């Protein structure tokens, strides 16, 4: 259970940091949906705030109900955005992890949304209240490190072709 919470926390912290460094591109996602610059700016700030809230609230026992509601809202908004983009045939950059992954909203984003929903369902159905203070430092470190490794593996698998191309360029 704690691993699930730490994994979600790591995913959203990773997403928050990468979007923060490429904020203008993230803001352009909302602009691509047809919103004006002011609304796009506010929406981008709002999503970033929710992501950092989920990342921090999820690991404590007393705030778990808040993180579940925020996480559900985020997953629902991701799903609606992907569905709308697919229905309208819009070519909008996902910007899920900033510039670390170059994907379009639509079919390719559904597996990630489903994965997040499964993690949320697991937390919601397993009503064992576990916080980060319950475990030893070594256990927490191991769980954080495992979560970071999963994120790195995900990034490398998504960008395998780019990495091979870079490697070939560097060899010549």
């Amino acid at each position: 259970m704690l691993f699930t919470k730490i994994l979600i926390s790591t995913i959203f912290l990773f997403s928050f940091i990468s979007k923060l460094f490429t904020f203008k591109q993230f803001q352009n996602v909302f602009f691509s949906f047809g919103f004006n610059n002011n609304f796009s700016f506010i929406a981008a700030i709002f999503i970033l705030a929710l992501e950092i809230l989920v990342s921090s609230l999820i690991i404590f026992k007393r705030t778990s109900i808040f993180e579940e509601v925020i996480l559900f809202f985020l997953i629902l908004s991701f799903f609606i955005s992907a569905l709308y983009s697919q229905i309208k045939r819009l070519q909008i950059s996902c910007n899920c992890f900033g510039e670390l992954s170059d994907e379009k909203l639509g079919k390719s984003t559904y597996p990630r949304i489903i994965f997040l929903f499964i993690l949320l369902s697991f937390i919601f159905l397993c009503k064992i209240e576990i916080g980060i203070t319950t475990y030893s430092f070594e256990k927490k470190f191991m769980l954080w490190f495992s979560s970071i490794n999963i994120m790195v593996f995900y990034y490398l698998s998504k960008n395998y072709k780019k990495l091979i191309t870079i490697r070939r360029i560097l060899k010549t």
Side-chain angles (χ1 to χ4, degrees):
M1 179 62 152
L2 183 61
F3 177 71
T4 305
K5 288 185 169 199
I6 288 177
L7 180 60
I8 291 173
S9 177
T10 303
I11 289 169
F12 281 97
L13 181 62
F14 193 78
S15 176
F16 169 79
I17 291 170
S18 60
K19 286 175 185 167
L20 196 59
F21 282 110
T22 59
F23 182 77
K24 194 66 174 164
Q25 289 88 345
F26 181 55
Q27 183 181 348
N28 285 338
V29 170
F30 297 97
F31 189 72
S32 298
F33 278 113
F35 298 113
N36 66 33
N37 277 334
N38 291 334
F39 182 83
S40 296
F41 178 79
I42 292 169
I45 294 289
F46 183 68
I47 295 296
L48 284 173
L50 292 180
E51 286 186 349
I52 197 64
L53 275 172
V54 164
S55 181
S56 57
L57 293 178
I58 197 167
I59 56 178
F60 298 104
K61 280 194 277 189
R62 295 180 182 204
T63 56
S64 64
I65 188 67
F66 299 116
E67 69 64 29
E68 289 172 10
V69 170
I70 295 170
L71 186 55
F72 177 76
F73 173 76
L74 279 171
I75 294 170
L76 182 63
S77 68
F78 297 159
F79 176 73
I80 291 170
S81 299
L83 186 62
Y84 181 81
S85 177
Q86 187 179 3
I87 289 170
K88 294 290 187 177
R89 300 187 196 287
L90 301 173
Q91 294 295 314
I92 299 174
S93 178
C94 175
N95 209 298
C96 298
F97 294 106
E99 291 182 343
L100 295 178
S101 64
D102 184 26
E103 298 178 55
K104 303 292 181 198
L105 276 174
K107 289 181 184 178
S108 66
T109 54
Y110 292 135
R112 284 193 304 261
I113 294 168
I114 291 169
F115 177 71
L116 289 173
F117 185 73
I118 290 170
L119 291 177
L120 174 63
S121 299
F122 183 70
I123 289 173
F124 186 72
L125 295 174
C126 298
K127 278 299 180 187
I128 303 168
E129 295 297 325
I130 296 176
I132 198 162
T133 56
T134 310
Y135 291 95
S136 68
F137 174 77
E138 293 82 16
K139 179 89 170 180
K140 290 183 275 195
F141 179 78
M142 182 185 70
L143 293 173
W144 281 107
F145 191 71
S146 298
S147 296
I148 291 169
N149 281 333
I150 289 171
M151 292 300 299
V152 169
F153 179 73
Y154 171 78
Y155 170 72
L156 291 175
S157 67
K158 283 298 198 184
N159 294 293
Y160 178 75
K161 290 180 183 178
K162 288 180 186 176
L163 294 172
I164 295 298
T165 304
I166 291 170
R167 182 174 175 224
R168 287 182 185 150
I169 291 170
L170 292 176
K171 281 187 172 182
T172 56

